[in-house]
Amino acid sequence: MNCEVCQLKELEVEHFEIREVLRCILHTIVFHRALGLVRPKDVDLELFEITYVQCGDVELEKKIDEKIDHFISWVEKHPNKKSQICLSFYEVKSKQPSWFTNKTERLYWEQWYVNLNVTQHPKHHSSKSHHTKLVVDPGESATEERSCRRAMVEASLREVLFQIIKFVNEKKDHVPPISEGVIYFPYEITIPSSSDSAFGMDMIKRMLHSGHPTMLS
Amino acid sequence: MTSTHTNSHTEAAKMEQVITEFFYKSLLIILESRSSYVSSRNYSGEQTVSSPSSSSSSSSSVRPRDKWFNLALRECPSALENLDLCRQSNFEPVVVDVVLEQKPLDWGPASFSPTSDLVRNLSSKNKNSYFWNCDQDESGSEMKCEKIIERWFVQHESRKGRDCNSGNRRSSCNNLSALYKKLILMLRSLYVTVRLLPAYNIFRDLNSSGLIRSFKLVPRVSSFVEPLARKEEVDMQRFWFTPVDTSCGRLCLSVLYYSSISDMSSESSTPMSPQFIPDYVGSPLADPLRRFPSLPVSHGSPSSLPFSRRHSWSYDHYKASPPLVSFSPSPTHSESNALVSNPTSRGLPPMSLPPHPPETSLAHKRNTNFDEYCPSPNFSASPSPSPSPSLPIYIPRTHLSKDLLRSESAPVNIAAPKLANSPALSGKQNLPPSPPLKITRAGTSRADNIRVPAETDATVDKIFSFGKEDCWKYSGVKAFSNSSPRISCSRSSSRSLQDDFDYSEFPCPFDVEDGEMMDPGSRKSQDAAVGALVRMLKKAPPLRQNVSLNFSEASRPEILSNSIPKQSQISEAVTVEHAAAPNIASFRLVASKTTTDALEELRGYKVMKNLLLSEGGKAYTSNVASAAEHSSTSKGT
């Protein structure tokens, strides 16, 4: 079984938009992969005029929020950096136990990469924009700029969602069969770790030792 | 063979059932997000605690139909109505048109909406006038406009030249499970897609805001529809869901939609919905006793504002009571922002909706309307100071000077002692010429009546000019009756009109007994004559300033000239009478004067009296002196 990979369009978001954007994207993906009996839950974003869908599972919502919190913490420590969140779906396969591996392994059949570019607040007239709280003369231009930027982010987010829909529609064959009593496929959310290099190492580590149950989830 | 045949039939039947249920499910997903009813949107919010598969106890709440494609949705009546359409064995395509309908532009009071003219105006000014398809309704009385903003296609394309029932059982079973899985995925993406399209925002706002809208979303399901106009289709975008192969064809799902439509619901700042408030504070409906019975009370349009509305222009009212008719175009504020070609916008019908006029212009229009609808003053012709409807003059707030609105002083009256102390009369020199104001008692400290401002104000003139002609119309008849025209501009209060014109209790130093008439021919004392003049002035209709000014300024020299008699003191009184007699007629002419002017005249009369007395004495003395001189002269010659 091959692993389908979908690189989503990069979104340029501000710090306060991260939570909503990630919730929207991650829940949309998971909803498409929650093929068990669900009662969908519509959620309206507060920052954007977009309604996304959750599959209604409380545990799932909790886990996603935890991951988002970790990501936000990482972003705060690494400002102005492009980041990537990986949502992977896998199957648990049993295999021959050995010294370095467990009995089960994870076979990833789908990976979604959410690319974010977290930006700072818009620069003010003052050079010390990071610490300046007073705006010299925001006027209407700043408001217009803000609303324009917000509209752009919303449009980009909408594009990403349509990208997800198209991907789900175009590629169906790789999706495993539905197990009885299971709402959604096992998944894994990978966020950048404390250092950039460690993030890449984590990915390699995961590839080499795929099936390690508790490394990154 | 028979078992294979049976199995194939079974498989075919299952396939048919799956396809049928797919039709129904897709229809349900579309309709429940486009029909104005309680959709799964609200329904699913309740189920966060109990997921259908999280506990066995919740499984009982899942209907059999919910289990199809593992998507539990609330039932949609319109989908159920079209279930037969989905159950067609030949799988005719199902087309769902999501139509945006403008409600008819009805100017009747019952359905008045401030947004009606906005919609109408925009429709007339719409650049893309083809957006709306407008037709007369069946009765021909209303113009109905609608627009297809989405068109969904659900169809099963049969594969020709191939036996659908071929294949062994195992492959069929695999096919069925695979098909089922793919249909689940398709329906998941359909569920997400319907919420990302622009029409969903309209649906959401219509369902959640509760505001009165001039448009509505109406999904129409049919098997066959007329193709859209080419220019319409050009403007629309199409989204294809990847078809899913079935054993004898493929299931296709697609949508045509407008992507570049603006947000009709961007009206976070105007939540008020237009409504007519019949029982506002001070309205006749709120206080039935104050209602003028002969005047209609209607609702809705400003043209039907009750003419019997009184007292609504006092300052306190404006502070306390809400506007009678809210002209806030809030419900269609966003719908009036018909912008086009903004792909980043939320996507709502554009263009044909009127722009939201600024508040100032609306306010101006409102006041203009109020001016037009200002009722003619209704003078009570009651012969006695019994409670009777006072003058219902509606004066738009903008036409009232601030001083007028904020005045809380007691109304002026003719009685000297009180008037002298009245703060309202200090320095009153430039009063409006013809005031149909209440001539009422002093001592009412309540802010029930409007004080005439000191400074002349053109707007105030306009206010009073509303009733001026009618003042003349009615007051001339009543000049010398025992009653005075009840012209009241005060707001409603609990006190009766009897309090206003009860002059009998008011002491007047010059007053004479009731019933005494001023007979020009009768011989009276100077005091009685002046008193009669004062009494006449009290009961006289409103004075005209020009005449009164002439009277006040010219009459003194006249009287003075007449006050040099060649006769004795008795003749002096006669001259006073002669002076007074021709002035009686002029009193009628000056009836429109204000009470302040009357006060001035009263003072003038006092002066006259004193003058007369003094002149009388001097005249006598001078007569005597002249007679003595004459006699001495004649003696001398």
Side-chain angles (χ1 to χ4, degrees):
Chain A
M1 186 186 296
N2 56 337
C3 178
E4 296 287 345
V5 177
C6 181
Q7 288 279 352
L8 296 175
K9 181 189 166 188
E10 184 178 276
L11 289 171
E12 194 170 303
V13 297
E14 289 190 39
H15 190 273
F16 67 95
E17 294 170 337
I18 294 174
R19 187 177 299 278
E20 283 223 317
V21 166
L22 282 182
R23 270 184 184 161
C24 177
I25 294 173
L26 294 176
H27 277 287
T28 300
I29 296 170
V30 173
F31 176 71
H32 283 98
R33 296 295 178 245
L35 304 188
L37 180 59
V38 296
R39 198 163 281 159
K41 174 186 169 187
D42 299 340
V43 179
D44 300 327
L45 292 180
E46 293 178 3
L47 300 175
F48 308 104
E49 295 288 322
I50 290 176
T51 301
Y52 71 95
V53 185
Q54 295 181 4
C55 60
D57 188 84
V58 179
E59 283 300 315
L60 173 70
E61 194 176 345
K62 202 174 171 183
K63 285 182 185 176
I64 289 177
D65 283 343
E66 281 176 10
K67 283 294 178 181
I68 292 173
D69 291 337
H70 295 160
F71 177 75
I72 290 172
S73 303
W74 181 88
V75 167
E76 286 169 354
K77 295 173 188 173
H78 304 85
N80 285 330
K81 279 190 176 178
K82 293 188 179 182
S83 54
Q84 197 177 56
I85 297 172
C86 181
L87 173 57
S88 308
F89 294 95
Y90 59 88
E91 278 185 297
V92 179
K93 295 285 186 184
S94 59
K95 71 173 199 180
Q96 286 289 341
S98 66
W99 284 103
F100 301 105
T101 60
N102 287 340
K103 298 177 184 179
T104 59
E105 66 175 340
R106 292 180 177 180
L107 289 177
Y108 294 91
W109 53 270
E110 193 172 81
Q111 287 176 330
W112 299 81
Y113 289 95
V114 183
N115 297 296
L116 294 180
N117 184 13
V118 183
T119 59
Q120 287 284 354
H121 288 288
K123 290 183 181 179
H124 302 302
H125 289 85
S126 172
S127 59
K128 299 178 183 177
S129 59
H130 183 67
H131 300 287
T132 302
K133 294 187 178 179
L134 292 176
V135 180
V136 177
D137 186 18
E140 294 182 359
S141 60
T143 310
E144 288 178 4
E145 193 183 333
R146 203 175 303 121
S147 62
C148 183
R149 194 207 144 270
R150 182 71 57 84
M152 287 176 60
V153 174
E154 182 180 315
S156 299
L157 180 58
R158 207 180 285 274
E159 280 183 41
V160 168
L161 296 177
F162 271 104
Q163 192 181 355
I164 295 169
I165 293 169
K166 285 177 185 173
F167 183 88
V168 167
N169 271 272
E170 288 168 2
K171 300 179 188 298
K172 298 190 182 82
D173 296 329
H174 67 288
V175 179
I178 307 164
S179 303
E180 192 67 30
V182 176
I183 302 175
Y184 45 85
F185 293 107
Y187 69 97
E188 179 180 271
I189 299 176
T190 310
I191 61 171
S193 57
S194 56
S195 64
D196 290 343
S197 58
F199 176 72
M201 286 302 295
D202 287 339
M203 293 298 293
I204 293 170
K205 216 185 282 182
R206 190 161 56 79
M207 287 166 61
L208 289 175
H209 302 280
S210 60
H212 197 286
T214 59
M215 179 183 290
L216 296 168
S217 63
Chain B
M1 189 67 177
T2 307
S3 62
T4 307
H5 186 68
T6 306
N7 291 336
S8 63
H9 272 290
T10 305
E11 293 299 324
K14 287 181 181 177
M15 183 69 70
E16 190 173 317
Q17 189 180 16
V18 167
I19 295 171
T20 301
E21 291 299 329
F22 171 80
F23 269 77
Y24 175 75
K25 205 71 164 189
S26 56
L27 197 64
L28 181 61
I29 291 171
I30 295 167
L31 293 178
E32 64 99 28
S33 66
R34 298 292 186 267
S35 297
S36 56
Y37 83 113
V38 181
S39 69
S40 296
R41 177 184 170 80
N42 303 322
Y43 176 62
S44 58
E46 304 164 357
Q47 55 90 32
T48 51
V49 178
S50 59
S51 177
S53 57
S54 59
S55 63
S56 57
S57 61
S58 63
S59 60
S60 61
S61 64
V62 179
R63 294 182 297 261
R65 180 152 262 133
D66 291 342
K67 295 182 180 177
W68 278 101
F69 308 103
N70 293 334
L71 198 60
L73 303 174
R74 186 163 260 190
E75 288 292 346
C76 174
S78 52
L80 285 173
E81 291 169 2
N82 295 281
L83 190 58
D84 292 337
L85 201 66
C86 304
R87 285 177 176 164
Q88 293 170 5
S89 57
N90 52 354
F91 302 128
E92 288 285 336
V94 175
V95 182
V96 182
D97 282 341
V98 179
V99 182
L100 186 71
E101 282 186 3
Q102 275 189 12
K103 289 182 183 175
L105 301 177
D106 184 7
W107 285 98
S111 61
F112 173 75
S113 168
T115 64
S116 300
D117 58 339
L118 302 179
V119 174
R120 184 189 292 169
N121 289 339
L122 185 65
S123 300
S124 62
K125 295 177 186 175
N126 186 17
K127 291 180 185 177
N128 298 330
S129 56
Y130 65 84
F131 180 82
W132 292 101
N133 299 322
C134 297
D135 284 316
Q136 292 281 346
D137 65 349
E138 293 176 357
S139 62
S141 60
E142 295 171 343
M143 183 69 70
K144 191 178 174 185
C145 295
E146 60 180 38
K147 182 66 182 175
I148 299 173
I149 59 173
E150 276 183 1
R151 176 167 279 182
W152 294 85
F153 299 90
V154 186
Q155 55 189 2
H156 180 260
E157 294 177 354
S158 298
R159 195 180 298 117
K160 294 178 182 178
R162 201 167 170 178
D163 189 4
C164 297
N165 297 327
S166 63
N168 55 26
R169 182 170 177 273
R170 185 168 181 174
S171 62
S172 299
C173 185
N174 291 340
N175 290 340
L176 197 59
S177 60
L179 169 68
Y180 193 70
K181 180 190 74 178
K182 291 178 183 178
L183 291 180
I184 290 175
L185 291 169
M186 183 188 265
L187 290 173
R188 292 284 195 274
S189 56
L190 173 65
Y191 192 91
V192 173
T193 305
V194 293
R195 279 149 182 79
L196 291 179
L197 295 182
Y200 183 75
N201 296 336
I202 304 175
F203 161 79
R204 188 187 67 172
D205 291 337
L206 283 173
N207 274 7
S208 60
S209 66
L211 299 178
I212 300 172
R213 305 281 186 170
S214 64
F215 55 91
K216 57 179 179 178
L217 269 183
V218 179
R220 294 175 190 161
V221 183
S222 59
S223 280
F224 174 76
V225 290
E226 290 183 1
L228 296 171
R230 183 163 181 80
K231 55 185 177 180
E232 288 178 336
E233 216 166 311
V234 166
D235 291 337
M236 298 175 90
Q237 288 192 356
R238 172 156 268 178
F239 183 81
W240 286 96
F241 293 83
T242 304
V244 173
D245 290 332
T246 63
S247 57
C248 53
R250 61 177 194 170
L251 282 166
C252 301
L253 189 57
S254 65
V255 59
L256 271 172
Y257 65 99
Y258 279 103
S259 62
S260 60
I261 47 180
S262 64
D263 192 354
M264 297 174 68
S265 60
S266 59
E267 52 185 48
S268 58
S269 61
T270 53
M272 273 184 70
S273 57
Q275 50 184 330
F276 182 75
I277 305 168
D279 56 346
Y280 60 93
V281 176
S283 74
L285 294 177
D287 191 2
L289 294 177
R290 309 296 281 176
R291 177 179 172 177
F292 191 71
S294 65
L295 294 177
V297 176
S298 60
H299 303 266
S301 65
S303 59
S304 60
L305 286 171
F307 287 113
S308 60
R309 183 177 60 220
R310 298 159 30 224
H311 328 304
S312 58
W313 54 287
S314 65
Y315 177 68
D316 289 342
H317 268 294
Y318 274 89
K319 279 171 74 175
S321 63
L324 300 175
V325 177
S326 168
F327 280 89
S328 170
S330 60
T332 59
H333 170 69
S334 60
E335 75 193 41
S336 65
N337 295 331
L339 303 176
V340 186
S341 301
N342 184 10
T344 62
S345 67
R346 192 116 194 232
L348 286 164
M351 295 310 302
S352 307
L353 296 173
H356 171 46
E359 285 291 339
T360 54
S361 66
L362 268 184
H364 173 73
K365 182 179 178 185
R366 171 175 48 194
N367 294 323
T368 304
N369 287 339
F370 287 170
D371 290 343
E372 294 170 357
Y373 301 130
C374 177
S376 54
N378 239 336
F379 292 84
S380 65
S382 156
S384 64
S386 58
S388 61
S390 61
L391 174 66
I393 296 179
Y394 181 80
I395 299 173
R397 187 179 184 184
T398 57
H399 290 269
L400 292 171
S401 66
K402 292 180 181 179
D403 293 338
L404 186 67
L405 286 172
R406 292 176 187 147
S407 167
E408 290 189 356
S409 61
V412 300
N413 52 52
I414 299 173
K418 297 276 183 177
L419 290 172
N421 297 327
S422 170
L425 301 176
S426 58
K428 297 298 176 291
Q429 299 298 330
N430 301 320
L431 294 171
S434 2
L437 268 186
K438 183 192 306 185
I439 302 173
T440 183
R441 293 173 57 82
T444 55
S445 59
R446 289 178 293 173
D448 292 336
N449 299 297
I450 301 301
R451 174 177 73 89
V452 177
E455 54 277 4
T456 304
D457 193 325
T459 56
V460 178
D461 293 345
K462 186 176 178 184
I463 294 164
F464 296 127
S465 67
F466 285 151
K468 185 174 178 179
E469 288 71 26
D470 288 44
C471 287
W472 282 105
K473 180 179 168 184
Y474 290 99
S475 63
V477 178
K478 304 293 178 184
F480 293 102
S481 66
N482 288 334
S483 67
S484 57
R486 307 291 167 98
I487 308 166
S488 172
C489 295
S490 66
R491 70 172 189 180
S492 67
S493 63
S494 57
R495 68 173 192 184
S496 66
L497 287 172
Q498 192 170 6
D499 298 334
D500 301 338
F501 294 101
D502 194 0
Y503 290 110
S504 59
E505 297 180 12
F506 187 78
C508 175
F510 305 109
D511 200 0
V512 295
E513 292 179 2
D514 288 340
E516 283 187 0
M517 291 185 65
M518 195 170 124
D519 186 0
S522 66
R523 293 185 171 232
K524 295 180 185 287
S525 64
Q526 293 180 4
D527 291 348
V530 174
L533 288 176
V534 169
R535 185 186 172 79
M536 198 182 303
L537 188 64
K538 276 186 201 176
K539 295 180 180 178
L543 306 172
R544 262 199 242 170
Q545 189 179 20
N546 50 358
V547 180
S548 65
L549 285 175
N550 293 334
F551 173 76
S552 61
E553 293 174 5
S555 59
R556 290 183 195 173
E558 184 184 1
I559 293 174
L560 289 175
S561 63
N562 290 334
S563 68
I564 307 175
K566 299 178 182 179
Q567 299 169 3
S568 62
Q569 193 172 5
I570 298 175
S571 62
E572 179 185 277
V574 175
T575 57
V576 170
E577 292 174 3
H578 282 299
N583 292 325
I584 290 172
S586 64
F587 288 156
R588 300 179 189 178
L589 299 177
V590 301
S592 62
K593 261 200 148 174
T594 61
T595 53
T596 309
D597 291 337
L599 174 66
E600 295 289 335
E601 287 188 4
L602 179 62
R603 289 181 182 156
Y605 293 140
K606 285 185 185 174
V607 170
M608 269 193 288
K609 170 193 167 186
N610 296 332
L611 193 63
L612 286 170
L613 289 172
S614 62
E615 287 294 333
K618 286 181 186 176
Y620 180 75
T621 308
S622 65
N623 282 340
V624 170
S626 65
E629 188 180 342
H630 180 72
S631 63
S632 65
T633 305
S634 62
K635 286 179 182 177
T637 54

